Amino acid sequence: QVQLVESGGGLVQPGGSLRLSCAASGSIRSVNNMGWYRQAPGKQRELVSLISSAGSTNYADFVEGRFTISRDNAKNTVYLQMNILRVEDTAVYYCNADVWNFSWNRRNYWGQGTQVTVSS
């Protein structure tokens, strides 16, 4: 069994910064792709950023250079550094990961979500 535990969400003013963390734990041989998604009230969940096991990254257009995704493979942890936050960034942010167990079964997991609120 695998769990994703997120942290780092909170309330910030427009223009502020937050760093989200997500650590995978449990029966893990290796972690493949990891990513961050977000869901604002009344809207569909959308991709924010992805990072492969080799470190290649992708970002949604709305990021516009403000966010940076990174990972620490030794800790099975993915990060999202968010700068110049806007009110429209307010959402629940979810961690996602593809995980190989020791039997070479790949499964996809979601974290519980962490609230990011950008407000004056």
Side-chain angles (χ1 to χ4, degrees):
Q1 188 65 271
V2 172
Q3 293 181 333
L4 303 182
V5 179
E6 299 149 333
S7 62
L11 173 64
V12 296
Q13 296 183 20
S17 297
L18 285 173
R19 188 181 73 164
L20 307 183
S21 299
C22 172
S25 62
S27 182
I28 298 171
R29 181 188 292 274
S30 63
V31 181
N32 197 356
N33 293 338
M34 303 186 81
W36 291 95
Y37 295 72
R38 72 184 189 184
Q39 187 167 21
K43 294 190 175 182
Q44 296 289 319
R45 187 173 299 185
E46 62 183 347
L47 175 68
V48 178
S49 183
L50 292 173
I51 184 167
S52 75
S53 59
S56 62
T57 59
N58 289 286
Y59 297 93
D61 287 342
F62 62 75
V63 169
E64 297 179 340
R66 299 175 299 130
F67 301 171
T68 301
I69 190 170
S70 62
R71 65 191 289 166
D72 184 338
N73 290 334
K75 298 180 179 179
N76 292 324
T77 298
V78 63
Y79 307 92
L80 185 67
Q81 177 67 47
M82 302 188 293
N83 302 317
I84 320 175
L85 284 162
R86 304 164 178 163
V87 172
E88 53 263 41
D89 293 319
T90 296
V92 177
Y93 284 70
Y94 295 91
C95 178
N96 181 267
D98 289 330
V99 178
W100 294 95
N101 66 17
F102 290 101
S103 298
W104 287 110
N105 294 317
R106 192 191 75 176
R107 294 181 178 177
N108 185 261
Y109 296 90
W110 290 94
Q112 79 286 352
T114 184
Q115 177 70 48
V116 172
T117 302
V118 185
S119 176
S120 299

